[in-house]
Amino acid sequence: MARIFVTRRLPGDALERLREAHELEIRDADTPIGREELIAGARRSEVVICALTDRIDAGVLHPGLKVVANYAVGVDNIDLAAAREAGVVVTNTPDVLTDATADLAFALLLAAARRLPEAERFLRAGRWEGFRASALLGRRVAGAHLGVVGAGRIGQAVLSRGKGFGMELSYWSREPKDPARVSGATHRPLDELLERCDFVSLNVALTPETRHLLDARRLERMKPGAVLVNTSRGPVVDEAALARVLAEGPLFAAGLDVYEEEPRVHPALLELENVVLIPHLGSATDVCREAMVELCVDGVEAVLAGREPANRVI
């Protein structure tokens, strides 16, 4: 029997599978856990099931810890080198959130392109006085040029959705992909993609190499009138520079689900009409979130039974 610490309430009933054979402690809150509470919970446990807001580093890891199951696909919240040194298995939740996140990326693309939040605010404020041919003009999506930065599972799914809209497709990744996996999209250098594409979707993992991948220089080189969508991780974009190019050009609009210092949003972004801001909802469907818990539980059960987990990161 192992002691398992879960850092927050999670949807569905998959965790109850663990209670049948192990001692399960679930923190009774769905808010970020404090640092001291996280350390204390981890230190009395052999398993930690954590969320993307929980920083798992050498201060949390200890010799008796066997597995950290991350309730997210990205693992930038975990010090993987420290986990490897401590002999702790790390798992994540790949695949099950691909479609939900790609759907949201395309929803943000459409909302930003057609100025939907701005239009709704306009109507709710009682400012609509009838049809005007020049009111709230947006950007054409069908047939436009979509560029995806990061052609992993989610990036490929975004390209597939773009294909359904008859868009010209390009992507950037470190290595070209099989054309069938990227809906026949063209592999381009990142700067060229940014200069050519009407819509750019960010779908890279956060690593030291991708932090501020879109810095001031690259943002300023984007195609005039382009729309930027970010459903990956906030620090991939320099938010201060993004606010500036939204206010002064060249960008037409942006759709953001993630932020550099979550839950804080850069004040300059909050003042702009031409950016759609939502609170990190990429995987937020009932089916997806419950499937993520299932994957966490699958990985934990495998490690505790001495089997290789299918969703192992290290």
Side-chain angles (χ1 to χ4, degrees):
M1 176 181 289
R3 185 172 178 86
I4 300 169
F5 179 60
V6 186
T7 65
R8 63 175 63 202
R9 292 193 304 267
L10 296 175
D13 57 7
L15 289 174
E16 294 306 309
R17 286 164 41 197
L18 296 174
R19 197 184 299 278
E20 295 173 4
H22 305 285
E23 186 177 349
L24 185 66
E25 177 188 357
I26 303 174
R27 177 173 164 266
D28 189 24
D30 189 17
T31 54
I33 190 171
R35 177 70 176 174
E36 294 305 315
E37 188 178 3
L38 173 60
I39 291 173
R43 289 301 171 99
R44 60 178 178 263
S45 306
E46 295 157 273
V47 175
V48 171
I49 299 177
C50 64
L52 57 86
T53 53
D54 305 330
R55 179 62 184 165
I56 308 296
D57 55 20
V60 176
L61 301 164
H62 62 89
L65 194 61
K66 295 181 179 179
V67 57
V68 171
N70 202 37
Y71 183 67
V73 65
V75 290
D76 46 282
N77 59 309
I78 300 175
D79 185 335
L80 297 179
R84 187 178 290 107
E85 184 175 349
V88 176
V89 174
V90 174
T91 66
N92 67 344
T93 60
D95 298 323
V96 295
L97 49 67
T98 296
D99 284 329
T101 306
D103 285 348
L104 189 76
F106 225 84
L108 282 171
L109 184 155
L110 290 166
R114 297 301 301 271
R115 302 171 65 177
L116 298 186
E118 184 183 356
E120 185 183 26
R121 291 190 292 268
F122 179 83
L123 184 148
R124 287 181 180 273
R127 296 168 57 196
W128 187 40
E129 297 176 347
F131 175 79
R132 290 175 52 200
S134 60
L136 293 164
L137 298 181
R139 308 293 292 180
R140 177 179 67 105
V141 175
H145 193 166
L146 171 64
V148 164
V149 178
R153 296 180 183 89
I154 297 171
Q156 291 169 27
V158 173
L159 287 168
S160 176
R161 284 150 178 77
K163 187 175 184 179
F165 276 75
M167 303 178 85
E168 181 182 354
L169 304 176
S170 295
Y171 74 97
W172 171 82
S173 64
R174 289 183 178 84
E175 299 292 337
K177 305 286 186 181
D178 180 344
R181 294 175 60 192
V182 291
S183 299
T186 300
H187 182 258
R188 299 186 190 279
L190 180 56
D191 286 352
E192 179 185 336
L193 181 149
L194 296 174
E195 291 170 357
R196 294 173 66 117
C197 289
D198 304 298
F199 296 90
V200 175
S201 175
L202 301 180
N203 302 103
V204 292
L206 178 60
T207 66
E209 292 73 29
T210 61
R211 184 174 294 273
H212 280 197
L213 182 68
L214 264 64
D215 55 11
R217 179 188 70 83
R218 284 195 165 120
L219 288 166
E220 290 164 3
R221 291 184 65 171
M222 291 184 69
K223 183 176 180 178
V227 173
L228 178 68
V229 172
N230 188 10
T231 56
S232 58
R233 287 290 187 265
V236 171
V237 180
D238 181 336
E239 276 187 8
L242 175 60
R244 187 169 62 253
V245 297
L246 284 167
E248 303 172 4
L251 290 189
F252 175 77
L256 305 178
D257 184 42
V258 290
Y259 307 91
E260 277 197 84
E261 299 177 9
E262 294 183 14
R264 177 184 178 271
V265 179
H266 196 289
L269 291 173
L270 293 170
E271 296 174 1
L272 298 171
E273 284 279 14
N274 61 334
V275 56
V276 183
L277 305 169
I278 59 174
H280 207 141
L281 299 177
S283 61
T285 71
D286 50 1
V287 170
C288 178
R289 290 280 172 89
E290 291 183 18
M292 291 168 67
V293 183
E294 292 276 358
L295 267 184
C296 286
V297 171
D298 289 346
V300 168
E301 288 183 329
V303 173
L304 294 180
R307 304 191 310 270
E308 180 65 19
N311 53 334
R312 181 173 183 153
V313 177
I314 62 166

Short mmCIF file of all heavy atoms in Angstrom, two decimals, residues 29 51 61 119 129-130 136 138 161 181 187 189 195 203 231 237 285:
data_model
loop_
_atom_site.label_atom_id
_atom_site.label_comp_id
_atom_site.label_asym_id
_atom_site.label_seq_id
_atom_site.Cartn_x
_atom_site.Cartn_y
_atom_site.Cartn_z
N ALA A 29 -9.57 21.32 -2.32
CA ALA A 29 -9.63 22.65 -2.94
C ALA A 29 -9.26 22.50 -4.41
O ALA A 29 -8.54 21.58 -4.79
CB ALA A 29 -8.67 23.62 -2.26
N ALA A 51 -0.78 19.43 -10.40
CA ALA A 51 -1.29 20.22 -11.52
C ALA A 51 -0.18 21.08 -12.09
O ALA A 51 0.91 21.20 -11.51
CB ALA A 51 -2.45 21.11 -11.04
N LEU A 61 10.89 16.94 -4.05
CA LEU A 61 11.29 15.56 -4.26
C LEU A 61 12.06 15.02 -3.06
O LEU A 61 12.77 15.76 -2.38
CB LEU A 61 12.17 15.48 -5.52
CG LEU A 61 11.50 15.97 -6.81
CD1 LEU A 61 12.55 16.21 -7.89
CD2 LEU A 61 10.47 14.95 -7.30
N ALA A 119 -17.54 42.68 -30.51
CA ALA A 119 -18.90 42.87 -31.03
C ALA A 119 -19.94 42.58 -29.96
O ALA A 119 -20.96 43.29 -29.86
CB ALA A 119 -19.12 41.95 -32.23
N GLU A 129 -27.19 50.17 -33.30
CA GLU A 129 -28.35 50.93 -33.81
C GLU A 129 -28.81 50.41 -35.16
O GLU A 129 -29.60 51.06 -35.84
CB GLU A 129 -28.00 52.41 -33.91
CG GLU A 129 -27.66 53.03 -32.55
CD GLU A 129 -27.23 54.47 -32.67
OE1 GLU A 129 -26.94 54.92 -33.81
OE2 GLU A 129 -27.18 55.15 -31.63
N GLY A 130 -28.34 49.22 -35.53
CA GLY A 130 -28.73 48.65 -36.81
C GLY A 130 -27.53 48.41 -37.70
O GLY A 130 -26.39 48.77 -37.38
N LEU A 136 -17.28 47.03 -37.40
CA LEU A 136 -16.60 45.86 -36.83
C LEU A 136 -16.10 44.89 -37.89
O LEU A 136 -16.30 43.67 -37.81
CB LEU A 136 -17.54 45.14 -35.86
CG LEU A 136 -17.87 45.93 -34.58
CD1 LEU A 136 -19.08 45.34 -33.87
CD2 LEU A 136 -16.67 45.95 -33.64
N GLY A 138 -13.81 42.44 -39.75
CA GLY A 138 -12.78 41.52 -39.30
C GLY A 138 -11.92 41.02 -40.45
O GLY A 138 -11.87 41.63 -41.52
N ARG A 161 -7.61 21.31 -38.79
CA ARG A 161 -8.77 22.20 -38.78
C ARG A 161 -8.63 23.30 -39.81
O ARG A 161 -9.61 23.70 -40.47
CB ARG A 161 -8.95 22.76 -37.37
CG ARG A 161 -9.56 21.73 -36.41
CD ARG A 161 -9.13 21.91 -34.97
NE ARG A 161 -9.78 20.91 -34.10
CZ ARG A 161 -9.38 19.64 -34.02
NH1 ARG A 161 -8.37 19.19 -34.76
NH2 ARG A 161 -10.01 18.81 -33.21
N ARG A 181 1.11 13.78 -41.84
CA ARG A 181 0.83 14.11 -40.44
C ARG A 181 0.52 15.59 -40.27
O ARG A 181 -0.09 15.98 -39.26
CB ARG A 181 2.02 13.72 -39.55
CG ARG A 181 2.27 12.23 -39.49
CD ARG A 181 3.52 11.92 -38.69
NE ARG A 181 3.43 12.42 -37.32
CZ ARG A 181 4.47 12.48 -36.49
NH1 ARG A 181 5.68 12.10 -36.91
NH2 ARG A 181 4.31 12.93 -35.26
N HIS A 187 6.83 23.05 -44.63
CA HIS A 187 7.77 23.36 -43.55
C HIS A 187 8.55 24.61 -43.92
O HIS A 187 9.12 24.68 -45.01
CB HIS A 187 8.72 22.19 -43.31
CG HIS A 187 9.68 22.40 -42.20
ND1 HIS A 187 11.00 22.74 -42.40
CD2 HIS A 187 9.51 22.33 -40.85
CE1 HIS A 187 11.61 22.87 -41.24
NE2 HIS A 187 10.73 22.62 -40.28
N PRO A 189 11.19 28.04 -42.35
CA PRO A 189 11.90 28.67 -41.23
C PRO A 189 10.95 29.58 -40.46
O PRO A 189 10.02 30.16 -41.03
CB PRO A 189 13.00 29.48 -41.94
CG PRO A 189 13.15 28.85 -43.28
CD PRO A 189 11.79 28.33 -43.66
N GLU A 195 6.49 36.05 -41.36
CA GLU A 195 6.36 37.12 -42.35
C GLU A 195 5.27 36.83 -43.38
O GLU A 195 4.70 37.75 -43.96
CB GLU A 195 7.70 37.32 -43.06
CG GLU A 195 8.77 37.91 -42.17
CD GLU A 195 10.15 37.87 -42.81
OE1 GLU A 195 10.25 37.32 -43.95
OE2 GLU A 195 11.11 38.35 -42.21
N ASN A 203 2.04 26.35 -30.67
CA ASN A 203 1.75 25.03 -30.10
C ASN A 203 3.02 24.31 -29.68
O ASN A 203 3.09 23.08 -29.77
CB ASN A 203 0.96 24.19 -31.11
CG ASN A 203 -0.33 24.86 -31.54
OD1 ASN A 203 -0.42 25.42 -32.63
ND2 ASN A 203 -1.33 24.85 -30.68
N THR A 231 -2.05 28.97 -27.36
CA THR A 231 -2.64 28.01 -26.42
C THR A 231 -1.55 27.10 -25.85
O THR A 231 -1.87 26.03 -25.31
CB THR A 231 -3.73 27.16 -27.10
OG1 THR A 231 -3.17 26.50 -28.24
CG2 THR A 231 -4.92 28.00 -27.52
N VAL A 237 5.81 33.87 -25.46
CA VAL A 237 5.66 35.20 -26.06
C VAL A 237 6.08 36.27 -25.06
O VAL A 237 5.76 36.19 -23.87
CB VAL A 237 4.18 35.46 -26.46
CG1 VAL A 237 4.02 36.83 -27.09
CG2 VAL A 237 3.71 34.38 -27.43
N THR A 285 -12.85 20.65 -21.21
CA THR A 285 -14.13 19.98 -21.47
C THR A 285 -14.26 18.87 -20.44
O THR A 285 -13.24 18.35 -19.94
CB THR A 285 -14.22 19.38 -22.89
OG1 THR A 285 -13.35 18.25 -22.98
CG2 THR A 285 -13.84 20.42 -23.95
#
